Amino acid sequence: MIKKLNNVVISNLNTVTFFIKEKINYLIFKKKLNSLLNNKNPKISIILPTYNRSEMLKKRSIPTVLKQNYKNFELIIISDGSTDDTYKVVKSFKDKRIKFFKFDRKKKYDETIENHWFAGPVNAINKGLEKATGDWIARIDDDDLWTNDHLKSLLFFAIKNNLEFVSS
C-alpha cells in the first residue's frame, strides 16, 4: 500500500514538475519569437548542400541567391565530399556572405534511388545548421532557382502572420 502511494505521489510530482518546466519554456520561447517577429531586418542563413554539382552551383543556385532583393543573409554551402571543382567555383563568386565548408562523406546509405534523393543531403544539411548564425533558416538545393523576391516574400509573410515557420 505504501509503495503504491509513493508511486502516486512521485508520479504527481513529476507531472507538476513537467508542467512548470514546459510553461517556463513556452514563455521563454514566446518572448524570443516576439522579439524575432519584431525584427524587421533579421539575418537569414541559407543552407545549400551539394555533391559534385559545381556547374549547377555556378549557373543556378548561387546566382539565384545573390540576386535576392533581401540582402541580409549568409549562404552556407556544404560540400558533402565533392571531388570536382566545387571549391573553385564557390570561391569565384567573391561574396563575403558565402561560407564554404567541405566534409568527407562518412555515412553511406544503401545505394537506392530513394536514399539518393531523400537521405543523401541529410548530413550536409545538419552540418549547415551547425554553422548557421542567422535568425531564420532557408534551404535551397544546388539545382534550384528562386524568384528575386523569394526570401523577402517568405520572411515578410511569416512576420505579418506571426509564423515561426514557412516553406516553399
Side-chain angles (χ1 to χ4, degrees):
M1 176 78 170
I2 293 180
K3 187 175 182 178
K4 189 174 185 179
L5 182 61
N6 281 344
N7 286 343
V8 169
V9 169
I10 290 171
S11 177
N12 284 335
L13 281 173
N14 284 338
T15 300
V16 169
T17 302
F18 177 78
F19 175 79
I20 291 169
K21 284 181 181 177
E22 286 302 304
K23 187 68 171 176
I24 291 169
N25 286 337
Y26 170 76
L27 292 173
I28 291 169
F29 172 76
K30 189 174 178 182
K31 184 176 181 179
K32 286 181 181 177
L33 180 61
N34 285 337
S35 173
L36 181 63
L37 293 173
N38 289 325
N39 183 351
K40 300 302 180 202
N41 191 36
K43 183 177 180 182
I44 301 174
S45 294
I46 304 165
I47 299 172
L48 193 168
T50 190
Y51 175 70
N52 286 346
R53 307 272 305 258
S54 62
E55 284 301 307
M56 287 291 184
L57 292 170
K58 181 171 34 178
K59 295 179 180 174
R60 295 180 73 120
S61 54
I62 295 175
T64 202
V65 169
L66 295 179
K67 289 179 185 172
Q68 291 299 298
N69 55 22
Y70 187 84
K71 301 296 184 189
N72 191 15
F73 64 81
E74 64 180 348
L75 175 57
I76 301 169
I77 301 173
I78 305 293
S79 172
D80 191 7
S82 295
T83 57
D84 64 358
D85 62 342
T86 296
Y87 176 78
K88 182 179 167 188
V89 166
V90 171
K91 290 303 176 186
S92 73
F93 281 90
K94 308 233 184 294
D95 189 304
K96 64 181 176 133
R97 297 171 295 177
I98 298 175
K99 298 176 182 173
F100 179 80
F101 301 94
K102 181 177 181 181
F103 295 94
D104 294 328
R105 284 188 167 203
K106 291 188 175 139
K107 185 167 186 172
K108 296 284 186 185
Y109 297 96
D110 292 338
E111 292 294 328
T112 65
I113 193 70
E114 293 85 5
N115 282 345
H116 175 75
W117 289 107
F118 298 121
V122 170
N123 290 326
I125 294 166
N126 287 337
K127 296 288 186 189
L129 289 170
E130 290 172 8
K131 301 294 184 183
T133 62
D135 302 303
W136 292 84
I137 304 291
R139 231 203 36 80
I140 186 169
D141 287 323
D142 52 17
D143 61 348
D144 283 353
L145 290 172
W146 285 348
T147 59
N148 291 353
D149 66 342
H150 180 82
L151 289 176
K152 188 174 185 177
S153 296
L154 288 177
L155 177 64
F156 289 117
F157 180 81
I159 291 171
K160 177 183 172 193
N161 293 289
N162 290 327
L163 303 173
E164 61 189 77
F165 176 84
V166 291
S167 181
S168 65

PDB file of all heavy atoms in Angstrom, residues 147-168:
ATOM      1  N   THR A 147      12.770  33.095 -57.399  1.00  0.00           N
ATOM      2  CA  THR A 147      12.446  34.432 -57.886  1.00  0.00           C
ATOM      3  C   THR A 147      13.256  35.415 -57.041  1.00  0.00           C
ATOM      4  O   THR A 147      13.680  35.091 -55.922  1.00  0.00           O
ATOM      5  CB  THR A 147      10.945  34.737 -57.741  1.00  0.00           C
ATOM      6  OG1 THR A 147      10.582  34.624 -56.355  1.00  0.00           O
ATOM      7  CG2 THR A 147      10.104  33.783 -58.593  1.00  0.00           C
ATOM      8  N   ASN A 148      13.470  36.623 -57.547  1.00  0.00           N
ATOM      9  CA  ASN A 148      14.305  37.599 -56.843  1.00  0.00           C
ATOM     10  C   ASN A 148      13.738  38.025 -55.490  1.00  0.00           C
ATOM     11  O   ASN A 148      14.462  38.522 -54.642  1.00  0.00           O
ATOM     12  CB  ASN A 148      14.527  38.835 -57.708  1.00  0.00           C
ATOM     13  CG  ASN A 148      15.406  38.529 -58.902  1.00  0.00           C
ATOM     14  OD1 ASN A 148      15.948  37.440 -59.035  1.00  0.00           O
ATOM     15  ND2 ASN A 148      15.549  39.500 -59.777  1.00  0.00           N
ATOM     16  N   ASP A 149      12.440  37.835 -55.299  1.00  0.00           N
ATOM     17  CA  ASP A 149      11.810  38.236 -54.039  1.00  0.00           C
ATOM     18  C   ASP A 149      11.509  37.049 -53.125  1.00  0.00           C
ATOM     19  O   ASP A 149      10.758  37.170 -52.165  1.00  0.00           O
ATOM     20  CB  ASP A 149      10.531  39.016 -54.321  1.00  0.00           C
ATOM     21  CG  ASP A 149       9.453  38.166 -54.977  1.00  0.00           C
ATOM     22  OD1 ASP A 149       9.762  37.080 -55.522  1.00  0.00           O
ATOM     23  OD2 ASP A 149       8.288  38.590 -54.941  1.00  0.00           O
ATOM     24  N   HIS A 150      12.103  35.906 -53.403  1.00  0.00           N
ATOM     25  CA  HIS A 150      11.795  34.685 -52.655  1.00  0.00           C
ATOM     26  C   HIS A 150      11.981  34.874 -51.141  1.00  0.00           C
ATOM     27  O   HIS A 150      11.052  34.632 -50.365  1.00  0.00           O
ATOM     28  CB  HIS A 150      12.669  33.527 -53.159  1.00  0.00           C
ATOM     29  CG  HIS A 150      12.434  32.241 -52.453  1.00  0.00           C
ATOM     30  ND1 HIS A 150      11.398  31.403 -52.777  1.00  0.00           N
ATOM     31  CD2 HIS A 150      13.106  31.648 -51.436  1.00  0.00           C
ATOM     32  CE1 HIS A 150      11.434  30.346 -51.993  1.00  0.00           C
ATOM     33  NE2 HIS A 150      12.462  30.464 -51.170  1.00  0.00           N
ATOM     34  N   LEU A 151      13.161  35.281 -50.720  1.00  0.00           N
ATOM     35  CA  LEU A 151      13.429  35.427 -49.290  1.00  0.00           C
ATOM     36  C   LEU A 151      12.557  36.511 -48.658  1.00  0.00           C
ATOM     37  O   LEU A 151      11.971  36.317 -47.597  1.00  0.00           O
ATOM     38  CB  LEU A 151      14.904  35.775 -49.050  1.00  0.00           C
ATOM     39  CG  LEU A 151      15.920  34.669 -49.303  1.00  0.00           C
ATOM     40  CD1 LEU A 151      17.335  35.198 -49.105  1.00  0.00           C
ATOM     41  CD2 LEU A 151      15.680  33.464 -48.420  1.00  0.00           C
ATOM     42  N   LYS A 152      12.471  37.632 -49.331  1.00  0.00           N
ATOM     43  CA  LYS A 152      11.703  38.760 -48.799  1.00  0.00           C
ATOM     44  C   LYS A 152      10.224  38.391 -48.647  1.00  0.00           C
ATOM     45  O   LYS A 152       9.608  38.675 -47.618  1.00  0.00           O
ATOM     46  CB  LYS A 152      11.852  39.969 -49.728  1.00  0.00           C
ATOM     47  CG  LYS A 152      11.259  41.239 -49.195  1.00  0.00           C
ATOM     48  CD  LYS A 152      11.580  42.400 -50.128  1.00  0.00           C
ATOM     49  CE  LYS A 152      11.109  43.707 -49.558  1.00  0.00           C
ATOM     50  NZ  LYS A 152      11.471  44.828 -50.425  1.00  0.00           N
ATOM     51  N   SER A 153       9.668  37.747 -49.654  1.00  0.00           N
ATOM     52  CA  SER A 153       8.248  37.366 -49.601  1.00  0.00           C
ATOM     53  C   SER A 153       7.959  36.408 -48.457  1.00  0.00           C
ATOM     54  O   SER A 153       6.994  36.590 -47.707  1.00  0.00           O
ATOM     55  CB  SER A 153       7.827  36.714 -50.916  1.00  0.00           C
ATOM     56  OG  SER A 153       7.915  37.614 -51.973  1.00  0.00           O
ATOM     57  N   LEU A 154       8.798  35.370 -48.326  1.00  0.00           N
ATOM     58  CA  LEU A 154       8.564  34.397 -47.257  1.00  0.00           C
ATOM     59  C   LEU A 154       8.786  35.014 -45.876  1.00  0.00           C
ATOM     60  O   LEU A 154       8.014  34.776 -44.944  1.00  0.00           O
ATOM     61  CB  LEU A 154       9.467  33.179 -47.432  1.00  0.00           C
ATOM     62  CG  LEU A 154       9.110  32.251 -48.584  1.00  0.00           C
ATOM     63  CD1 LEU A 154      10.116  31.122 -48.696  1.00  0.00           C
ATOM     64  CD2 LEU A 154       7.709  31.684 -48.419  1.00  0.00           C
ATOM     65  N   LEU A 155       9.826  35.817 -45.745  1.00  0.00           N
ATOM     66  CA  LEU A 155      10.113  36.445 -44.461  1.00  0.00           C
ATOM     67  C   LEU A 155       8.979  37.365 -44.032  1.00  0.00           C
ATOM     68  O   LEU A 155       8.474  37.266 -42.906  1.00  0.00           O
ATOM     69  CB  LEU A 155      11.424  37.230 -44.537  1.00  0.00           C
ATOM     70  CG  LEU A 155      11.796  38.006 -43.273  1.00  0.00           C
ATOM     71  CD1 LEU A 155      12.047  37.065 -42.110  1.00  0.00           C
ATOM     72  CD2 LEU A 155      13.007  38.882 -43.537  1.00  0.00           C
ATOM     73  N   PHE A 156       8.551  38.243 -44.914  1.00  0.00           N
ATOM     74  CA  PHE A 156       7.506  39.186 -44.529  1.00  0.00           C
ATOM     75  C   PHE A 156       6.144  38.512 -44.367  1.00  0.00           C
ATOM     76  O   PHE A 156       5.344  38.947 -43.555  1.00  0.00           O
ATOM     77  CB  PHE A 156       7.478  40.382 -45.478  1.00  0.00           C
ATOM     78  CG  PHE A 156       8.670  41.262 -45.283  1.00  0.00           C
ATOM     79  CD1 PHE A 156       9.588  41.457 -46.286  1.00  0.00           C
ATOM     80  CD2 PHE A 156       8.920  41.872 -44.057  1.00  0.00           C
ATOM     81  CE1 PHE A 156      10.720  42.245 -46.090  1.00  0.00           C
ATOM     82  CE2 PHE A 156      10.039  42.660 -43.838  1.00  0.00           C
ATOM     83  CZ  PHE A 156      10.939  42.840 -44.863  1.00  0.00           C
ATOM     84  N   PHE A 157       5.918  37.424 -45.078  1.00  0.00           N
ATOM     85  CA  PHE A 157       4.694  36.639 -44.853  1.00  0.00           C
ATOM     86  C   PHE A 157       4.720  36.052 -43.447  1.00  0.00           C
ATOM     87  O   PHE A 157       3.721  36.102 -42.724  1.00  0.00           O
ATOM     88  CB  PHE A 157       4.580  35.524 -45.899  1.00  0.00           C
ATOM     89  CG  PHE A 157       3.352  34.681 -45.733  1.00  0.00           C
ATOM     90  CD1 PHE A 157       2.129  35.107 -46.219  1.00  0.00           C
ATOM     91  CD2 PHE A 157       3.421  33.459 -45.083  1.00  0.00           C
ATOM     92  CE1 PHE A 157       0.981  34.331 -46.057  1.00  0.00           C
ATOM     93  CE2 PHE A 157       2.289  32.675 -44.926  1.00  0.00           C
ATOM     94  CZ  PHE A 157       1.068  33.111 -45.410  1.00  0.00           C
ATOM     95  N   ALA A 158       5.853  35.501 -43.040  1.00  0.00           N
ATOM     96  CA  ALA A 158       5.980  34.922 -41.701  1.00  0.00           C
ATOM     97  C   ALA A 158       5.796  35.992 -40.622  1.00  0.00           C
ATOM     98  O   ALA A 158       5.061  35.789 -39.651  1.00  0.00           O
ATOM     99  CB  ALA A 158       7.331  34.243 -41.544  1.00  0.00           C
ATOM    100  N   ILE A 159       6.439  37.137 -40.805  1.00  0.00           N
ATOM    101  CA  ILE A 159       6.341  38.208 -39.814  1.00  0.00           C
ATOM    102  C   ILE A 159       4.911  38.740 -39.733  1.00  0.00           C
ATOM    103  O   ILE A 159       4.351  38.899 -38.649  1.00  0.00           O
ATOM    104  CB  ILE A 159       7.346  39.333 -40.130  1.00  0.00           C
ATOM    105  CG1 ILE A 159       8.777  38.830 -39.880  1.00  0.00           C
ATOM    106  CG2 ILE A 159       7.051  40.585 -39.304  1.00  0.00           C
ATOM    107  CD1 ILE A 159       9.859  39.770 -40.362  1.00  0.00           C
ATOM    108  N   LYS A 160       4.310  39.002 -40.881  1.00  0.00           N
ATOM    109  CA  LYS A 160       2.945  39.557 -40.917  1.00  0.00           C
ATOM    110  C   LYS A 160       1.938  38.631 -40.241  1.00  0.00           C
ATOM    111  O   LYS A 160       1.012  39.076 -39.571  1.00  0.00           O
ATOM    112  CB  LYS A 160       2.533  39.793 -42.372  1.00  0.00           C
ATOM    113  CG  LYS A 160       1.122  40.298 -42.541  1.00  0.00           C
ATOM    114  CD  LYS A 160       0.764  40.442 -43.999  1.00  0.00           C
ATOM    115  CE  LYS A 160      -0.707  40.760 -44.152  1.00  0.00           C
ATOM    116  NZ  LYS A 160      -1.151  40.612 -45.537  1.00  0.00           N
ATOM    117  N   ASN A 161       2.146  37.317 -40.394  1.00  0.00           N
ATOM    118  CA  ASN A 161       1.179  36.342 -39.874  1.00  0.00           C
ATOM    119  C   ASN A 161       1.633  35.677 -38.570  1.00  0.00           C
ATOM    120  O   ASN A 161       1.046  34.687 -38.151  1.00  0.00           O
ATOM    121  CB  ASN A 161       0.901  35.286 -40.942  1.00  0.00           C
ATOM    122  CG  ASN A 161       0.172  35.877 -42.120  1.00  0.00           C
ATOM    123  OD1 ASN A 161      -0.993  36.226 -42.040  1.00  0.00           O
ATOM    124  ND2 ASN A 161       0.892  36.034 -43.230  1.00  0.00           N
ATOM    125  N   ASN A 162       2.669  36.241 -37.939  1.00  0.00           N
ATOM    126  CA  ASN A 162       3.189  35.702 -36.675  1.00  0.00           C
ATOM    127  C   ASN A 162       3.496  34.223 -36.762  1.00  0.00           C
ATOM    128  O   ASN A 162       3.135  33.430 -35.887  1.00  0.00           O
ATOM    129  CB  ASN A 162       2.221  35.963 -35.515  1.00  0.00           C
ATOM    130  CG  ASN A 162       2.164  37.428 -35.151  1.00  0.00           C
ATOM    131  OD1 ASN A 162       3.159  38.130 -35.260  1.00  0.00           O
ATOM    132  ND2 ASN A 162       1.015  37.893 -34.731  1.00  0.00           N
ATOM    133  N   LEU A 163       4.183  33.827 -37.824  1.00  0.00           N
ATOM    134  CA  LEU A 163       4.533  32.427 -38.033  1.00  0.00           C
ATOM    135  C   LEU A 163       5.985  32.198 -37.666  1.00  0.00           C
ATOM    136  O   LEU A 163       6.840  33.056 -37.881  1.00  0.00           O
ATOM    137  CB  LEU A 163       4.299  32.042 -39.494  1.00  0.00           C
ATOM    138  CG  LEU A 163       2.884  32.252 -40.026  1.00  0.00           C
ATOM    139  CD1 LEU A 163       2.842  31.993 -41.526  1.00  0.00           C
ATOM    140  CD2 LEU A 163       1.907  31.333 -39.302  1.00  0.00           C
ATOM    141  N   GLU A 164       6.273  31.034 -37.143  1.00  0.00           N
ATOM    142  CA  GLU A 164       7.660  30.693 -36.841  1.00  0.00           C
ATOM    143  C   GLU A 164       8.271  29.830 -37.919  1.00  0.00           C
ATOM    144  O   GLU A 164       9.471  29.568 -37.892  1.00  0.00           O
ATOM    145  CB  GLU A 164       7.742  29.975 -35.490  1.00  0.00           C
ATOM    146  CG  GLU A 164       6.946  28.673 -35.465  1.00  0.00           C
ATOM    147  CD  GLU A 164       6.847  28.081 -34.092  1.00  0.00           C
ATOM    148  OE1 GLU A 164       6.038  28.588 -33.298  1.00  0.00           O
ATOM    149  OE2 GLU A 164       7.577  27.120 -33.812  1.00  0.00           O
ATOM    150  N   PHE A 165       7.478  29.406 -38.909  1.00  0.00           N
ATOM    151  CA  PHE A 165       7.976  28.517 -39.950  1.00  0.00           C
ATOM    152  C   PHE A 165       7.174  28.714 -41.226  1.00  0.00           C
ATOM    153  O   PHE A 165       5.950  28.776 -41.181  1.00  0.00           O
ATOM    154  CB  PHE A 165       7.833  27.053 -39.491  1.00  0.00           C
ATOM    155  CG  PHE A 165       8.233  26.041 -40.511  1.00  0.00           C
ATOM    156  CD1 PHE A 165       9.561  25.675 -40.647  1.00  0.00           C
ATOM    157  CD2 PHE A 165       7.296  25.462 -41.340  1.00  0.00           C
ATOM    158  CE1 PHE A 165       9.958  24.743 -41.600  1.00  0.00           C
ATOM    159  CE2 PHE A 165       7.665  24.528 -42.290  1.00  0.00           C
ATOM    160  CZ  PHE A 165       8.996  24.178 -42.421  1.00  0.00           C
ATOM    161  N   VAL A 166       7.866  28.887 -42.327  1.00  0.00           N
ATOM    162  CA  VAL A 166       7.239  28.892 -43.646  1.00  0.00           C
ATOM    163  C   VAL A 166       8.133  28.072 -44.575  1.00  0.00           C
ATOM    164  O   VAL A 166       9.333  27.937 -44.335  1.00  0.00           O
ATOM    165  CB  VAL A 166       7.034  30.304 -44.239  1.00  0.00           C
ATOM    166  CG1 VAL A 166       5.972  31.063 -43.469  1.00  0.00           C
ATOM    167  CG2 VAL A 166       8.312  31.081 -44.294  1.00  0.00           C
ATOM    168  N   SER A 167       7.555  27.545 -45.621  1.00  0.00           N
ATOM    169  CA  SER A 167       8.331  26.744 -46.557  1.00  0.00           C
ATOM    170  C   SER A 167       7.773  26.952 -47.953  1.00  0.00           C
ATOM    171  O   SER A 167       6.627  27.349 -48.135  1.00  0.00           O
ATOM    172  CB  SER A 167       8.231  25.257 -46.161  1.00  0.00           C
ATOM    173  OG  SER A 167       8.993  24.470 -47.039  1.00  0.00           O
ATOM    174  N   SER A 168       8.618  26.681 -48.920  1.00  0.00           N
ATOM    175  CA  SER A 168       8.155  26.797 -50.305  1.00  0.00           C
ATOM    176  C   SER A 168       8.611  25.604 -51.100  1.00  0.00           C
ATOM    177  O   SER A 168       9.466  24.845 -50.687  1.00  0.00           O
ATOM    178  CB  SER A 168       8.715  28.071 -50.930  1.00  0.00           C
ATOM    179  OG  SER A 168      10.120  27.985 -51.019  1.00  0.00           O
TER     180      SER A 168
END
